[in-house]
Every structure is written in structure tokens, then in C-alpha cells.
Amino acid sequence: MIDTLELTAIPAEDEALRTDIRAFLADTLAGVPADRRARSWMGFDADFSRALAARGWLGMTLPREYGGAARGHFARFVLSEELLCAGAPVSAHWIADRQSAPLILKYGTEAQRRFYLPRICRAEAFFCIGMSEPNSGSDLASIRTRAEPREGGGWLLNGSKIWTTNAHRSHYMIALVRTSGTAADRHQGLSQMIIDLSLPGITVRPIEDLAGDAHFSEVFFDNVALDAQALVGTEGDGWQQVNAELAFERSGPERIYSSMALVECWLAHCRAANIDDAQTRAALGDILTQLATLRAMSLAVAGQLARGLSPATEAALVKDLGTELEQRIPDLVAQALGQAPERPAPPELVRTLAYVEQVSPTFSLRGGTREILRGIIARGLGLR
């Protein structure tokens, strides 16, 4: 059953991080237009990620012995909020820092922790997540990519993944694969593997989206030889592990702040043009009231993570509601702008609105489709 989401406050020592983060972002992002900042957690900039690492702002939840800051989930929440609301290009390190590192810390061997975690904290190892497959979509239990024991030890990997964010720019993939049984066995026989994407037999093909970007890729595995250390956690426990991992992916501020660069640019236009009509006020009120509620929910999930819980159902709820708002924001902004045609929007706002409108359909796909999430929520509530 779903636990109660309790109102949660950010501790003062973590809230205090905002001052330094904002100063850094104001300097680093000075002059970057809103349509570029709208890409934010899909914007890839390895140098920016290394600059964050140099300040100790990667691996904030990891122990110091692995290169982390040992600050906890609230510190990372503050950092994530500031990065996303400023429109910082965080895509290079985002998946590794958000979910790959916590997964390896919890389920990995000591050798895996010693090898991967310090590299993640230094922005030297970027990760992607291999979950969705052709003809499977968000139904992860039906995956067919297979790793079989090979002679002499290790695994032989065959299959494919699709809609894999930044696979063409990442060093490693953590993939959910089948190590026993068949797709008919559903949750049984699934395991997670760390895959070095430079290995022979791996082909990565970027997929261009409507906005002309190439965030996603399809990845093919043709008799890829993995060593025994590729296995993360226990063979056959991949389903339980991946659900714990998805709690990190689905609950964070990126599920409510993807359109913030657009909102900021729109409000700047409204102030400059003295636009203060009823439609604009209604649109802004709609956005702000939902944001406040969703932020409180996301913080509550961060509190559960801080207590060592695995709030998969609660995270699915935040993600479902959050992406629904994210997709509504460009429509609300466009409708409000239409009420004042005599004061046309500046080119930067037009470009930003066009970009967010083009990519917003993906908001309810990444991290699990709305249908899959609502199935998880229904099970958590005991409705199915």
C-alpha cells in the first residue's frame, strides 16, 4: 500500500546551499538564451558537469570514501531545483548521479563501488539506462535482450534497447536483461548488467526528435562479451532492483520543472509589455498552485528516500501528475499570449515556446508512460 506523504521541510544546512549555487549559475549561464536553457536536463555539456564536480556538487548523496559529499537527498534536491529552474545543461551527468550511483552503492560489489562511484563524482563516467525495447515500450517485464553464461566465465549479451537517453554519449549502460527463462516468465529471471559501451559488438544509433535534437538512441548488442563483474546485485533480482532505481528517476524535481525556462521567459515578456489581463493571471495561478503542490509531494518523497525507504508508488504518482502539468504549461502560455495579439511575443519567447511544444509529448514517455505509472499507482492503492 502507498504510504502517507507527509509535509517535509528542507533542513537549514541544505537550504543554505542555494546562495553559492545561484551565484555559480548566474555567472556560468549569463547570456544563454531561454530556448537553449529550456533543454536543461536534456542539454549535454561535459565541461559544465565537470565544473559542478570540481565544486563537490556531484555525488552529493554518496559516502566520502567513494568521492561523494555525504550530504543526503535534501542537499541534492536543492541543487537539482536550482539547476533545473536556471536551465543548466545537466544531461551529461544526470542519470549517473541521480540513479546509477545510488543503485551501484546499494546493490553493487565493493569492487564496483570503488571503480564506478569516484568516476561518477568526478564527471568522468556518464551512464545511460537500458530499459525499453522495440515492441515492448514501458512494459519492462516483456524484455527479450538476453545475457547467457559464456564458456570461461562472464556473459554473452544479445538483443537491443531503444529510447535510451544519451547512449551515443555515455561510457556505460546499466541494462535490465533476461538471464533465465523467457519473456512469458515476466518478472522472473531478470538481472541488471553494467555494460561498457565501447565493447565490440555494440552499435548505437541516435534518434532525431521533432525539435532536431538527438537525445535518444537505439542500441544493438551482437554477441557482446561481458565479464562476471558486469552483473549488478543478485542474478534474477533485476525486477526488484530496477523498481528501487525508478523511484530515484520518477520522483525528482525534473518531473515538474522541465518547462521553467519557458515560464520565466513568458513572465519577463509580460512584465516588459505590461500584460496583466485575466487570462494571464489565470494561467499563472494555475501553474503556480500546481507547482506548489507537486513540489511538496516531491519533497515528501525525498524525505522517504532520506529515511531509507523505496517509495516506488509515491514516485510514480509524482511523475504522473508532474509530467501532466509540464505538458499543459506550453498550452497555457500559448493561450495567454493569444489574448494580447497587439503585443507580439519577442523572438526568444517564440523559439522557447516552439521548442517546449515540440518536446512536451516526450515528458509522459520518459521514466514510464502514463498508463504504466497508473497501473503502478493502482496496485499501490490495492485497486488491482
Side-chain angles (χ1 to χ4, degrees):
M1 293 292 290
I2 189 171
D3 290 329
T4 301
L5 284 174
E6 301 177 354
L7 285 174
T8 304
I10 297 174
E13 62 271 20
D14 295 325
E15 189 67 38
L17 286 167
R18 291 192 195 274
T19 301
D20 288 343
I21 297 169
R22 287 181 179 179
F24 166 77
L25 291 173
D27 179 61
T28 305
L29 300 178
V32 179
D35 53 306
R36 277 185 54 197
R37 289 186 287 108
R39 284 156 168 82
S40 195
W41 70 283
M42 298 301 283
F44 192 99
D45 187 334
D47 289 337
F48 179 83
S49 295
R50 284 189 282 269
L52 291 180
R55 287 161 176 79
W57 292 342
L58 295 191
M60 295 189 80
T61 65
L62 300 179
R64 295 187 185 281
E65 62 185 297
Y66 302 119
R71 286 295 298 263
H73 292 283
F74 291 114
R76 189 183 185 279
F77 191 97
V78 169
L79 176 65
S80 298
E81 273 198 316
E82 294 301 322
L83 292 173
L84 294 168
C85 289
V90 299
S91 182
H93 69 269
W94 199 251
I95 290 173
D97 181 70
R98 178 184 65 188
Q99 61 196 95
S100 302
L103 178 82
I104 293 169
L105 178 67
K106 183 172 183 178
Y107 296 108
T109 64
E110 185 61 19
Q112 288 171 334
R113 296 187 191 113
R114 296 284 177 189
F115 182 82
Y116 294 109
L117 298 186
R119 288 169 170 79
I120 290 173
C121 293
R122 295 193 299 264
E124 295 175 357
F126 301 146
F127 278 68
C128 60
I129 302 300
M131 292 186 184
S132 297
E133 294 190 0
N135 304 315
S136 293
S138 290
D139 184 13
L140 299 182
S142 67
I143 64 173
R144 299 177 182 275
T145 296
R146 194 173 191 91
E148 297 182 324
R150 63 186 177 96
E151 188 175 347
W155 306 88
L156 194 64
L157 180 67
N158 284 281
S160 64
K161 296 291 180 180
I162 198 167
W163 309 122
T164 307
T165 302
N166 281 337
H168 57 303
R169 295 164 166 161
S170 296
H171 304 102
Y172 302 98
M173 171 191 287
I174 296 184
L176 184 66
V177 304
R178 185 162 294 284
T179 50
S180 65
T182 68
D185 294 315
R186 304 293 290 167
H187 305 148
Q188 305 302 313
L190 298 175
S191 303
Q192 287 185 295
M193 300 277 176
I194 301 179
I195 302 167
D196 182 340
L197 293 175
S198 68
L199 290 173
I202 298 178
T203 301
V204 181
R205 296 177 184 168
I207 301 171
E208 186 173 306
D209 62 25
L210 286 173
D213 294 330
H215 303 302
F216 303 114
S217 294
E218 51 185 342
V219 185
F220 301 91
F221 308 107
D222 183 11
N223 288 325
V224 179
L226 305 176
D227 61 31
Q229 285 298 312
L231 177 67
V232 183
T234 303
E235 182 185 352
D237 283 354
W239 183 252
Q240 290 75 22
Q241 293 176 196
V242 83
N243 274 284
E245 178 186 357
L246 285 171
F248 293 104
E249 178 177 359
R250 290 172 173 162
S251 63
E254 67 270 27
R255 299 308 177 190
I256 58 178
Y257 292 143
S258 294
S259 303
M260 285 303 98
L262 170 60
V263 173
E264 176 196 41
C265 193
W266 168 54
L267 291 179
H269 165 61
C270 291
R271 295 186 187 104
N274 293 315
I275 298 174
D276 190 19
D277 56 79
Q279 179 82 19
T280 299
R281 284 177 172 264
L284 181 58
D286 192 345
I287 293 168
L288 291 180
T289 52
Q290 291 190 66
L291 274 176
T293 303
L294 287 163
R295 181 180 186 271
M297 294 172 67
S298 188
L299 260 177
V301 174
Q304 291 186 337
L305 291 171
R307 295 195 299 274
L309 303 177
S310 182
T313 305
E314 295 85 343
L317 181 63
V318 172
K319 196 271 183 185
D320 183 29
L321 295 174
T323 53
E324 184 175 352
L325 172 62
E326 287 182 325
Q327 289 177 329
R328 288 188 62 232
I329 284 176
D331 290 336
L332 289 169
V333 171
Q335 290 170 19
L337 288 172
Q339 298 301 306
E342 73 282 1
R343 287 169 287 189
E348 182 180 358
L349 176 54
V350 173
R351 293 195 307 269
T352 306
L353 177 59
Y355 171 75
V356 176
E357 283 184 324
Q358 287 173 325
V359 300
S360 63
T362 69
F363 296 167
S364 56
L365 296 176
R366 58 197 189 195
T369 64
R370 186 162 289 140
E371 293 77 13
I372 292 295
L373 292 172
R374 291 178 180 177
I376 293 171
I377 295 165
R379 282 193 296 272
L381 293 173
L383 300 177
R384 58 178 291 189

